[in-house]
Amino acid sequence: MEIIVHNVMMSGPPGTGKSMLASRFAGILPSMTEAEALESAAIQSLNGNYKLENWKRRPYRSPHHTASGVALVGGGGIPRPGEISLAHHGVLFLDELPEFERKVLEVLREPLESGKITISRAARQADFPASFQLLAAMNPCPCGYLGHFNNKCRCTPDNIARYKAKISGPLLDRIDMHIEVPALKEDEMTTAANAENSETIRNRVETARALQLKRQGKANFALGSLEIDEFCQPDAAGMALLKAAISKLNLSARAYHRILKVARTIADVAGEPAIKPAHIAEAVQYRRGDVN
């Protein structure tokens, strides 16, 4: 069963909690099935680093931005899995995304679509599964303080444009949700938060996933174009809103399909049987955060 869910990009100044949010994410994903746990353990054992105490724990991988393409994808004389396969059925967190080499990031495009990666060498070829939840984080500008309430940013528009251009459009197009993580003001930091714990959120996620499996036999993220037509169609008002967004934001066909799948998931989490205009509006809003 596919556990892969909607990929997320977080943008915000340093110290706003992007890395903390990413580290907590695996704890709200649906519980691992026996088959998923076996696949994950088998992949990790190829590198000799599987630990029994991690049985049925979703993997969380966070390679440094200096990681090479081989480290991310895998390779070697005898092909070994890289970070994207070691994150199979779990979370791959790429912090400071624009600091990764562009050619390294581009290798993500295939597994984000297919859920697997093929490594070809002169002597042999190996296929490794790579169905992972991608979380990425970046600053809004080179200095990190664009939009900060203290007006700390001193970057020029050209510097900001070059920084954001380090991430290609095709890669961004494969990230479903772009969210801002703003800096907290003094009174917000000192006020006690009234937040849900991970178990409560995971229960809600489990319920939404169960709805998806009952309705279509797979997660919303994994739906093909014909299945989207069957399971993700909004009403007339929602479709009119989506058409306006496509025109205004110049969205691609891939973005159109991903908006519908995200809207379907938003409706599932809310317990709504049909996709409403509010669900479409929220899904479109996540695309507006596209940094290019």
Side-chain angles (χ1 to χ4, degrees):
M1 179 183 71
E2 292 285 346
I3 65 95
I4 192 168
V5 288
H6 305 291
N7 302 310
V8 179
M9 165 79 82
M10 298 179 286
S11 176
T16 54
K18 301 186 295 294
S19 298
M20 182 273 291
L21 288 171
S23 67
R24 303 293 192 274
F25 199 89
I28 67 170
L29 289 176
S31 302
M32 293 187 89
T33 65
E34 197 83 9
E36 289 170 350
L38 285 170
E39 284 184 17
S40 178
I43 289 293
Q44 294 181 52
S45 66
L46 292 176
N47 280 17
N49 58 3
Y50 181 73
K51 297 180 180 178
L52 188 59
E53 57 265 30
N54 291 330
W55 175 250
K56 284 199 171 183
R57 289 184 184 175
R58 295 203 180 275
Y60 174 81
R61 308 293 299 188
S62 180
H64 193 260
H65 59 75
T66 56
S68 66
V70 170
L72 204 62
V73 176
I78 300 176
R80 300 289 186 186
E83 292 289 343
I84 63 174
S85 292
L86 295 174
H88 184 55
H89 290 319
V91 175
L92 177 69
F93 176 50
L94 301 182
D95 199 7
E96 306 290 349
L97 190 68
E99 301 303 326
F100 283 81
E101 289 189 28
R102 184 160 179 151
K103 64 180 181 180
V104 172
L105 292 179
E106 291 306 295
V107 302
L108 291 172
R109 289 163 57 177
E110 177 193 344
L112 285 175
E113 289 291 329
S114 66
K116 63 181 181 180
I117 187 72
T118 300
I119 301 172
S120 298
R121 294 293 181 265
R124 64 186 66 189
Q125 176 177 302
D127 292 319
F128 293 116
S131 233
F132 55 87
Q133 162 73 53
L134 175 64
L135 295 183
M138 63 178 291
N139 295 327
C141 66
C143 79
Y145 292 100
L146 178 67
H148 196 282
F149 62 87
N150 282 338
N151 297 317
K152 295 180 179 181
C153 180
R154 296 295 181 267
C155 298
T156 66
D158 285 346
N159 287 340
I160 296 171
R162 282 196 296 270
Y163 176 74
K164 292 182 176 181
K166 291 181 179 180
I167 309 171
S168 73
L171 177 59
L172 284 172
D173 208 31
R174 288 167 167 81
I175 299 178
D176 306 287
M177 304 171 67
H178 301 251
I179 62 175
E180 292 186 10
V181 186
L184 297 177
K185 296 182 179 180
E186 292 83 355
D187 57 339
E188 293 173 318
M189 285 192 288
T190 55
T191 302
N194 182 22
E196 297 177 306
N197 59 34
S198 293
E199 183 178 358
T200 301
I201 299 173
R202 185 175 64 249
N203 289 338
R204 195 157 60 243
V205 173
E206 295 264 19
T207 300
R209 178 55 58 89
L211 286 174
Q212 296 167 23
L213 296 178
K214 182 179 180 180
R215 181 179 59 239
Q216 67 227 8
K218 61 176 68 173
N220 290 336
F221 185 94
L223 294 174
S225 57
L226 294 179
E227 293 167 321
I228 292 171
D229 292 339
E230 181 178 357
F231 299 113
C232 301
Q233 287 306 300
D235 58 19
M239 183 56 72
L241 179 61
L242 183 52
K243 287 180 179 179
I246 292 171
S247 176
K248 185 176 181 179
L249 301 178
N250 195 27
L251 298 175
S252 67
R254 179 185 288 113
Y256 163 73
H257 283 144
R258 286 177 181 263
I259 286 172
L260 285 174
K261 289 190 282 189
V262 170
R264 178 68 268 175
T265 296
I266 293 170
D268 289 340
V269 172
E272 298 283 354
I275 298 176
K276 297 181 178 180
H279 305 142
I280 293 290
E282 183 176 348
V284 168
Q285 190 66 31
Y286 292 133
R287 300 299 301 197
R288 288 174 62 85
D290 194 318
V291 296
N292 263 6

